[in-house]
Amino acid sequence: MQYFVVMLDYGRRGREAVVDPEITRRDVVSRITSGEYRNISFIHEIVDQSVEDVTEAILTEAALPQIPPDQVDLQAIRLDHARDLRKHERT
């Protein structure tokens, strides 16, 4: 069995551990990016009888924007770079 424990810190109001066996890693990342989970103390991944602290890995994953490959215009990026290089040429 695998599940995640997300510890939320509310300061003076205390802490709350969110434990849901149905939630996946993708769901945890989604809840962090949506702002549902804030002030996270730690995130533990529990698999069978082992516990792993995955706080930094999941927070890093949640911070990266997901850009579908079909929306990236490589030609525009190359042309923008060429234009920027021309700005610094001496005339």
Side-chain angles (χ1 to χ4, degrees):
M1 176 172 225
Q2 174 185 1
Y3 60 94
F4 292 89
V5 176
V6 181
M7 180 65 75
L8 305 175
D9 187 2
Y10 297 116
R12 287 186 159 185
R13 295 184 302 160
R15 293 182 183 166
E16 175 186 14
V18 179
V19 182
D20 185 358
E22 301 287 323
I23 196 169
T24 63
R25 182 182 184 105
R26 181 178 290 173
D27 292 332
V28 172
V29 171
S30 167
R31 291 180 183 188
I32 292 170
T33 55
S34 72
E36 185 176 342
Y37 290 164
R38 295 184 186 176
N39 302 326
I40 297 171
S41 294
F42 61 81
I43 303 170
H44 287 168
E45 179 181 19
I46 300 172
V47 180
D48 295 327
Q49 295 178 355
S50 67
V51 178
E52 183 180 354
D53 185 4
V54 293
T55 308
E56 286 200 33
I58 290 183
L59 290 178
T60 303
E61 190 175 332
L64 297 175
Q66 298 296 324
I67 301 173
D70 59 344
Q71 291 183 357
V72 176
D73 187 357
L74 297 177
Q75 182 177 7
I77 292 171
R78 190 178 72 245
L79 294 174
D80 287 345
H81 181 67
R83 185 188 71 223
D84 289 341
L85 291 176
R86 283 194 306 270
K87 287 181 186 177
H88 300 287
E89 288 178 357
R90 292 184 181 230
T91 55

